[in-house]
């Protein structure tokens, strides 16, 4: 990566990949991907994350089945309502990438006591008045940052990946299968594997819609 422009160009080549070839992903590659996740910044460097990496075929199948069955259950319920068509094939969105993934990574985060909030409270303040780290779910943010670096390393390795909220519908069964317990909280699942598709670019909102600037006018100086 030579320049900022090169980097931006490369970032734009990442896609969410939902279909994978059957070849396994070697442990060495997976370890690099997980190492990359742990390079992410985190609130007071607490590194409030944990990752369960599933390559076992039986476990992968069990996870995909748990999510697919739950999506089917949801479909049945929605069919009874007035918006059956709205769901359409949307159910696939919950489990499809898990079906052919060579590895499924289940990221988790845990919350830590908000020390500054506790100090404020001991001094007689209502910590809610100060919007400390817990007001922004700092541990969840940190773990999301780790997921993003994981996705980028996967992309650099030539892997396809899809971070998914869908598998949350199977959280209870996935937690039992993988022995995930409190205080750890699942943050979806990431399907990984050698890509069997080249998805289209998904459009992005222009900066004019998502960025607000406060700048000095030309020639104006800050005091
Ligand atoms: C938190 C999060 C949850 C997502 N959940 C799903 C999901 O459940 N199923 C799925 O197929 N894609 C899921 N995606 C992928 C998005 O659909 C995808 O990122 C978006 O359409 C933009 O496409 P791109 O990643 O190829 O640029 C999710 C992405 C994120 C960041």
């Amino acid at each position: 990566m030579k320049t900022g422009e090169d980097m931006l160009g490369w970032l734009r080549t990442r896609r969410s990949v939902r279909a994978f070839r059957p070849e396994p992903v070697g442990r060495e590659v997976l370890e690099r991907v997980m190492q990359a996740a742990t390079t992410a910044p985190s609130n007071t460097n607490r590194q409030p994350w944990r990752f369960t990496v599933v390559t076992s075929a039986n476990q992968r199948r069990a996870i995909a089945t748990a999510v697919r069955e739950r999506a089917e259950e949801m479909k049945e319920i929605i069919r009874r309502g007035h918006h059956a068509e709205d769901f359409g094939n949307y159910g696939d969105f919950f489990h499809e990438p898990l079906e052919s993934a060579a590895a499924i990574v289940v990221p988790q985060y845990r919350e830590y006591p908000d020390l500054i909030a506790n100090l404020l409270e001991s001094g007689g303040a209502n910590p809610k008045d100060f919007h400390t780290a817990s007001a922004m779910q700092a541990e969840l943010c940190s773990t999301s940052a780790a997921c993003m670096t994981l996705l980028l390393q996967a992309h650099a390795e030539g892997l396809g990946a899809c971070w998914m909220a869908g598998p949350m519908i199977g959280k209870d069964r996935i937690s039992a299968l993988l022995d995930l317990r409190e205080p750890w909280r699942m943050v979806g699942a990431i399907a990984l594997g050698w890509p069997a598709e080249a998805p289209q670019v998904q459009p992005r909102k222009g900066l004019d819609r998502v960025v607000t600037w406060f700048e000095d006018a030309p020639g104006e100086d800050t005091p």
Side-chain angles (χ1 to χ4, degrees):
M1 210 75 61
K2 288 196 207 81
T3 65
E5 252 174 62
D6 291 342
M7 177 70 180
L8 181 58
W10 179 79
L11 288 173
R12 286 186 166 134
T13 62
R14 186 205 55 79
R15 306 270 179 278
S16 288
V17 173
R18 299 180 174 83
F20 306 95
R21 304 202 304 268
E23 299 95 277
V25 179
R27 173 74 183 241
E28 201 181 315
V29 175
L30 285 174
E31 281 194 11
R32 266 201 306 271
V33 167
M34 299 321 302
Q35 286 285 353
T38 66
T39 68
S42 65
N43 184 31
T44 58
N45 200 22
R46 280 244 170 85
Q47 303 166 59
W49 46 61
R50 208 175 76 161
F51 305 89
T52 302
V53 182
V54 184
T55 54
S56 139
N58 278 343
Q59 293 286 70
R60 279 186 285 126
R61 245 190 317 272
I63 292 169
T65 304
V67 178
R68 187 180 347 101
E69 288 180 355
R70 202 76 173 131
E72 278 158 16
E73 245 177 83
M74 285 168 45
K75 213 171 192 168
E76 277 309 308
I77 295 168
I78 292 166
R79 207 168 273 151
R80 286 182 229 139
H82 306 296
H83 297 284
E85 325 75 57
D86 294 346
F87 197 57
N89 291 329
Y90 192 69
D92 297 346
F93 189 78
F94 291 88
H95 60 86
E96 190 203 353
L98 301 175
E99 305 282 354
S100 60
I104 299 172
V105 178
V106 181
Q108 301 137 63
Y109 77 100
R110 59 158 298 173
E111 287 182 351
Y112 283 90
D114 188 333
L115 293 178
I116 304 293
N118 292 348
L119 293 176
L120 286 165
E121 202 163 20
S122 75
N126 178 354
K128 288 211 162 65
D129 292 340
F130 287 88
H131 307 294
T132 51
S134 53
M136 62 168 279
Q137 298 185 269
E139 292 89 355
L140 175 58
C141 292
S142 306
T143 305
S144 298
C147 290
M148 189 63 226
T149 51
L150 184 162
L151 294 184
L152 293 178
Q153 182 70 28
H155 181 41
E157 300 280 355
L159 288 165
C162 186
W163 182 12
M164 308 167 66
M168 292 306 287
I169 61 172
K171 177 173 170 282
D172 294 345
R173 271 173 69 185
I174 293 171
S175 298
L177 280 165
L178 305 180
D179 199 23
L180 314 181
R181 298 166 202 222
E182 282 290 330
W184 294 101
R185 298 183 184 178
M186 180 175 158
V187 193
I190 301 173
L192 276 177
W194 302 111
E197 61 168 12
Q200 285 187 342
V201 183
Q202 295 301 314
R204 291 303 196 259
K205 296 175 184 173
L207 290 196
D208 54 333
R209 290 177 62 195
V210 297
V211 181
T212 304
W213 307 84
F214 284 89
E215 298 180 291
D216 286 326
E220 189 185 353
D221 214 352
T222 41

